């Protein structure tokens, strides 16, 4: 297996596709899979059509990213696109996109996308070693649940929800057949290389916690039977000593102080899935980028800017599987939350340098997404916010 990446800041979608193709073809003559990340500046249909014309018959998956994209060469701001490619004579790969339809439940769309991707890989009846998931924001929990039910076990997933410059912006996904602004895109991997993975939050719980007593969709209504927005405001102001103004970008104010639910423990230590508060809706309820359930205990979590910069490399180091053997990564994929990225935007090259060190300078691509999906070491498949997911491919 061989991995290569390329990036471009060409203004035009067609020019961007040609620039990416020229670089990749000097490094990999016959790719088995292409993964493309792009900012909203591009004509998505033109980008998709041109790439497939330049790489006929090659499975591909595309997902929009917020602000820019990161590779081993640093962070590139928009207009920007990056491509991840692999060749693998002994491996198999497939991809598929299914658009959401009003008459079809999201679980059925997820099953269809997974089945079609596996069929395209030619490995029907075999469990993939890895699934890459790029859906549009909104129903990620149901999508993961359907994947788990369809396969019967937890297969490693690296996922990031499509993003744009703004929440509710011009996000998009595509495969080699179509583009969509609402749907699910999946790639399945049957690589000849060994796969390792990691999924982390990097935030710590405080002593403040409560029970979820009412939710409506992704709107958190009440905690301990009190208005959730008021409870969160009290926690925030007590913990930080700052005044919380919910009308002044709750999204950015809460980046270092999300809510968390304990997902499991490893070596006796708990780990958490995060939910990022985004705004207070017209009913006074707190909207989140993920789903909570009545009866769950939620914790007021705390992070730091320095932690956001350093934790990407820690996640990659965790994925390096030091306990198994001396790591020799061929390359990797990483997913970094857009909310975290915006908080440390001026220091993203430092984040890239840290990942390079942890990856032994092997090639990687990392988009900035509006939701992250991954498999915890304890086996829980989860969707969260302000998270980092990483997958590495190793020489055996």
């Amino acid at each position: 297996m061989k991995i290569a990446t390329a990036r471009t800041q060409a203004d035009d979608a067609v020019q961007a596709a040609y620039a990416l193709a020229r670089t990749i073809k000097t490094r990999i003559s016959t790719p088995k899979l292409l993964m493309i990340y792009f900012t909203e500046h591009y004509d998505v249909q033109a980008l998709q059509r041109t790439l497939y014309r330049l790489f006929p018959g090659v499975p591909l998956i595309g997902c929009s990213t917020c602000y820019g994209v990161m590779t081993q060469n640093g962070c590139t701001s928009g207009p920007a696109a990056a491509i991840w490619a692999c060749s693998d004579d002994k491996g198999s790969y497939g991809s598929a996109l299914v658009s959401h339809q009003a008459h079809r439940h999201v679980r059925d769309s997820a099953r269809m996308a997974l089945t079609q991707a596996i069929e395209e890989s030619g490995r029907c009846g075999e469990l993939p070693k890895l699934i890459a998931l790029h859906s549009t924001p909104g129903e990620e929990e149901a999508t993961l649940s359907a994947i788990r039910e369809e396969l019967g076990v937890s297969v490693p997933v690296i996922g990031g929800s499509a993003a744009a410059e703004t929440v509710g912006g011009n996000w998009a996904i595509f495969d080699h057949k179509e583009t969509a602004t609402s749907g699910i895109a999946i790639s399945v991997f049957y690589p000849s290389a060994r796969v390792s993975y990691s999924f982390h939050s990097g935030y710590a719980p405080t002593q403040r916690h409560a029970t979820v007593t009412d939710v409506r969709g992704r709107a958190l209504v009440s905690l301990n039977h009190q208005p959730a927005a008021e409870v969160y405001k009290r926690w925030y102001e007590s913990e930080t000593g700052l005044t919380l103004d919910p009308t002044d970008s709750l999204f950015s104010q809460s980046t270092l102080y999300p809510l968390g639910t304990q997902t499991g423990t490893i070596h006796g230590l708990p780990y958490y899935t995060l939910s990022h508060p985004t705004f207070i809706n017209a009913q006074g309820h707190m909207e989140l980028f993920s789903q909570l359930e009545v009866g769950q205990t939620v914790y007021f979590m705390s992070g730091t800017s320095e932690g956001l910069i350093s934790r990407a490399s820690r996640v990659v180091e965790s994925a390096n599987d030091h306990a198994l053997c001396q790591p020799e990564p061929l390359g990797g994929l990483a997913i970094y939350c857009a909310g975290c990225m915006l908080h440390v935007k001026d220091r993203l090259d430092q984040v890239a340098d840290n990942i390079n060190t942890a990856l032994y300078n092997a090639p990687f691509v990392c988009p900035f997404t509006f939701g992250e999906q991954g498999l915890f070491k304890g086996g829980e498949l989860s969707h969260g916010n302000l998270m980092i997911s990483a997958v590495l491919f190793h020489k055996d």
Side-chain angles (χ1 to χ4, degrees):
M1 184 181 187
K2 182 179 180 181
I3 294 169
T5 69
R7 63 178 182 172
T8 181
Q9 286 186 292
D11 292 330
D12 175 76
V14 174
Q15 293 175 352
Y18 272 94
L20 294 173
R22 279 194 300 270
T23 302
I24 286 299
K25 287 181 178 181
T26 64
R27 299 169 181 172
I28 291 180
S29 57
T30 55
K32 280 289 190 76
L33 177 68
L34 299 171
M35 304 184 72
I36 302 93
Y37 301 100
F38 54 92
T39 58
E40 67 176 58
H41 303 86
Y42 295 116
D43 180 327
V44 179
Q45 292 184 340
L47 182 65
Q48 182 259 359
R49 285 196 302 265
T50 307
L51 283 167
Y52 192 60
R53 188 167 64 247
L54 293 169
F55 296 98
V58 179
L60 62 88
I61 188 171
C63 180
S64 58
T65 172
C66 176
Y67 174 72
V69 64
M70 190 161 52
T71 71
Q72 70 273 14
N73 295 314
C75 183
T76 307
S77 59
I83 191 168
W84 183 97
C86 74
S87 61
D88 191 353
D89 291 340
K90 297 181 180 179
S92 301
Y93 304 81
S95 62
L97 183 152
V98 173
S99 297
H100 288 317
Q101 302 292 335
H103 65 276
R104 186 172 60 223
H105 194 280
V106 65
R107 288 175 178 268
D108 295 325
S109 294
R111 292 187 186 98
M112 290 172 62
L114 178 62
T115 299
Q116 291 173 19
I118 292 175
E119 288 175 350
E120 184 182 78
S121 74
R123 303 286 283 267
C124 293
E126 297 181 53
L127 286 175
K129 284 188 179 180
L130 173 70
I131 294 170
L133 169 64
H134 290 302
S135 62
T136 51
E139 294 282 357
E140 293 93 338
E141 291 92 352
T143 298
L144 290 176
S145 178
I147 291 172
R148 172 74 183 256
E149 290 172 1
E150 186 70 15
L151 297 179
V153 296
S154 286
V155 169
V157 169
I158 183 165
S161 306
E165 298 301 289
T166 59
V167 177
N170 299 316
W171 53 56
I173 54 176
F174 61 74
D175 68 353
H176 47 288
K177 297 178 182 177
E178 62 179 313
T179 65
T181 57
S182 179
I184 300 167
I186 285 176
S187 289
V188 293
F189 294 62
Y190 298 85
S192 58
R194 183 169 56 85
V195 175
S196 65
Y197 60 91
S198 187
F199 187 46
H200 280 226
S201 76
Y203 288 66
T206 69
Q207 296 299 311
R208 307 173 200 282
H209 58 86
T211 301
V212 177
T213 45
D214 192 7
V215 292
R216 298 174 192 175
R218 287 188 167 177
L220 178 58
V221 178
S222 68
L223 294 168
N224 289 349
H225 301 287
Q226 302 173 50
E230 294 180 10
V231 173
Y232 181 85
K233 187 175 188 295
R234 288 199 304 271
W235 286 351
Y236 180 95
E237 293 180 349
S238 296
E239 190 70 27
T240 67
L242 303 172
T243 299
L244 179 69
D245 182 0
T247 65
D248 182 23
S249 184
L250 179 62
F251 177 87
S252 60
Q253 292 178 94
S254 63
T255 296
L256 294 182
Y257 302 99
L259 299 175
T261 54
Q262 184 179 332
T263 308
T265 59
I266 188 163
H267 305 307
L269 298 175
Y271 49 86
Y272 299 84
T273 299
L274 304 182
S275 293
H276 192 181
T278 57
F279 64 94
I280 306 301
N281 65 24
Q283 291 74 42
H285 307 149
M286 190 161 60
E287 294 282 354
L288 309 171
F289 258 128
S290 58
Q291 179 74 51
L292 295 177
E293 303 292 339
V294 171
Q296 284 185 302
T297 299
V298 296
Y299 295 83
F300 186 76
M301 309 290 289
S302 176
T304 66
S305 298
E306 289 300 323
L308 299 185
I309 292 167
S310 63
R311 70 175 176 147
S313 61
R314 293 201 303 272
V315 173
V316 172
E317 288 167 356
S318 176
N320 248 325
D321 254 347
H322 288 287
L324 291 181
C325 61
Q326 176 63 32
E328 293 185 77
L330 301 166
L333 289 162
I335 304 291
Y336 194 94
C337 170
C340 296
M341 177 275 297
L342 292 170
H343 190 80
V344 297
K345 187 165 63 173
D346 295 337
R347 299 174 66 184
L348 287 173
D349 281 339
Q350 186 177 346
V351 176
D353 288 343
N354 290 343
I355 295 177
N356 274 329
T357 299
L359 250 177
Y360 298 83
N361 296 308
F364 75 91
V365 166
C366 176
F368 306 120
T369 57
F370 280 170
E372 297 73 52
Q373 300 86 47
L375 184 66
F376 284 106
K377 292 292 186 179
E380 301 90 355
L381 198 55
S382 184
H383 161 73
N385 314 137
L386 304 168
M387 310 282 286
I388 297 179
S389 188
V391 165
L392 306 183
F393 302 87
H394 303 267
K395 295 178 183 178
D396 277 324

